[in-house]
Amino acid sequence: SALAMTGKFGVIGAPGGPGAAYVYRREEGDWKPWSRLLPRDGTVTAEFGFAVTALGYDVFVSDHQGSGRVYQFDARTGEQIDILTSDNGEFGRVLASESNMLAIASLGFVHLYTRQDTAWGLTARLPLGSASPQALAYAPGAEWLAVSTELGSVRLYQRDRAGQWTSFTELPRPSDEAAKFGASLSFSSTNRLLIGAPETTWEGKRTGVVHLYERENDVWTLRRTIVPKEGSHAGTFGSTIATQDDVA
């Protein structure tokens, strides 16, 4: 996603010719421009700002062109703090963060970082094989991590008390009609996951849908398929999902 919020700050990524990211600050109910984020070395490509995420005052902006890199900024000052890199291509294709944890997708892997004081250290890499990552989402408290690929699969990983991540289960597409399944992911709680399938055909019309999965007794089950109101058939419903408590 190219939109993130942290406290009083909002961040918007703006990739393309060349890219940038913009920080807004909420003051007395209004959002006002605060700073423009750019790499310190002046190296800006059209992909800078493709994905952003924020945690505390840390803002991460990706530039996944070539091998890719992810820049860390301070939301309060707009200053660059660090650069995270990897040897894998398109590092920074997708970002997610929660509870002092940061996930960065590249070709073939999801790289997991943990904040230690003010620095972020790599703690694990989850292999994806030849599939390209599509979306990432942490559950509140970062007990669960959902990873989708462009092949239409969604896999859930669980973190144990020692901080180790293990593959828990894969959620297959509910049907062959669930097109672009996993285009967006969002946990509304540790037991509820919403998965977008924006190119799905529903009742003969390409509308897009959102599938709601719930966990009970450690089993994740499809509970409901959410469809747009009649008359909305643009085929993009579910392309982006945001949740807060029980509202999506």
Side-chain angles (χ1 to χ4, degrees), residues 66-224:
S67 59
R69 52 179 57 190
V70 175
Y71 297 84
Q72 179 187 353
F73 296 88
D74 188 319
R76 297 164 294 183
T77 64
E79 294 182 358
Q80 180 184 317
I81 300 173
D82 199 1
I83 302 176
L84 303 177
T85 61
S86 171
D87 294 334
N88 298 101
E90 296 191 19
F91 182 72
R93 184 184 180 98
V94 190
L95 307 177
S97 59
E98 167 71 23
S99 301
N100 292 327
M101 295 188 181
L102 171 68
I104 303 176
S106 69
L107 293 179
F109 291 93
V110 176
H111 309 255
L112 303 181
Y113 292 79
T114 301
R115 180 161 53 189
Q116 301 164 350
D117 295 326
T118 59
W120 290 84
L122 180 66
T123 55
R125 292 201 312 170
L126 308 178
L128 300 178
S130 60
S132 296
Q134 185 171 216
L136 301 171
Y138 279 110
E143 177 187 353
W144 296 91
L145 173 66
V147 180
S148 69
T149 72
E150 292 183 347
L151 296 179
S153 66
V154 176
R155 179 164 291 278
L156 294 175
Y157 296 84
Q158 186 176 29
R159 181 171 61 93
D160 62 24
R161 294 182 179 180
Q164 302 298 311
W165 290 91
T166 57
S167 177
F168 185 81
T169 189
E170 182 174 325
L171 304 177
R173 289 190 300 171
S175 68
D176 291 338
E177 288 74 31
K180 210 158 176 66
F181 180 69
S184 56
L185 304 168
S186 185
F187 284 91
S188 63
S189 70
T190 57
N191 299 318
R192 287 185 175 182
L193 172 63
L194 292 107
I195 303 176
E199 296 183 6
T200 297
T201 298
W202 186 264
E203 295 183 349
K205 297 179 180 179
R206 182 175 163 180
T207 62
V209 301
V210 173
H211 300 285
L212 171 63
Y213 286 80
E214 292 186 345
R215 178 172 66 104
E216 185 175 357
N217 297 324
D218 272 347
V219 176
W220 288 87
T221 306
L222 176 63
R223 293 298 188 193
R224 181 184 176 191

Side-chain angles (χ1 to χ4, degrees), residues 2-73:
L3 177 65
M5 293 185 65
T6 175
K8 295 182 178 180
F9 296 96
V11 185
I12 300 175
Y22 299 89
V23 177
Y24 291 79
R25 180 185 171 97
R26 186 174 58 199
E27 297 180 356
E28 298 178 353
D30 293 329
W31 289 94
K32 300 180 180 179
W34 185 256
S35 63
R36 184 185 186 205
L37 305 180
L38 292 171
R40 185 186 300 137
D41 61 8
T43 304
V44 184
T45 75
E47 298 300 331
F48 181 79
F50 182 82
V52 301
T53 191
L55 195 63
Y57 291 118
D58 289 339
V59 174
F60 298 91
V61 182
S62 77
D63 180 347
H64 71 91
Q65 182 167 299
S67 59
R69 52 179 57 190
V70 175
Y71 297 84
Q72 179 187 353
F73 296 88

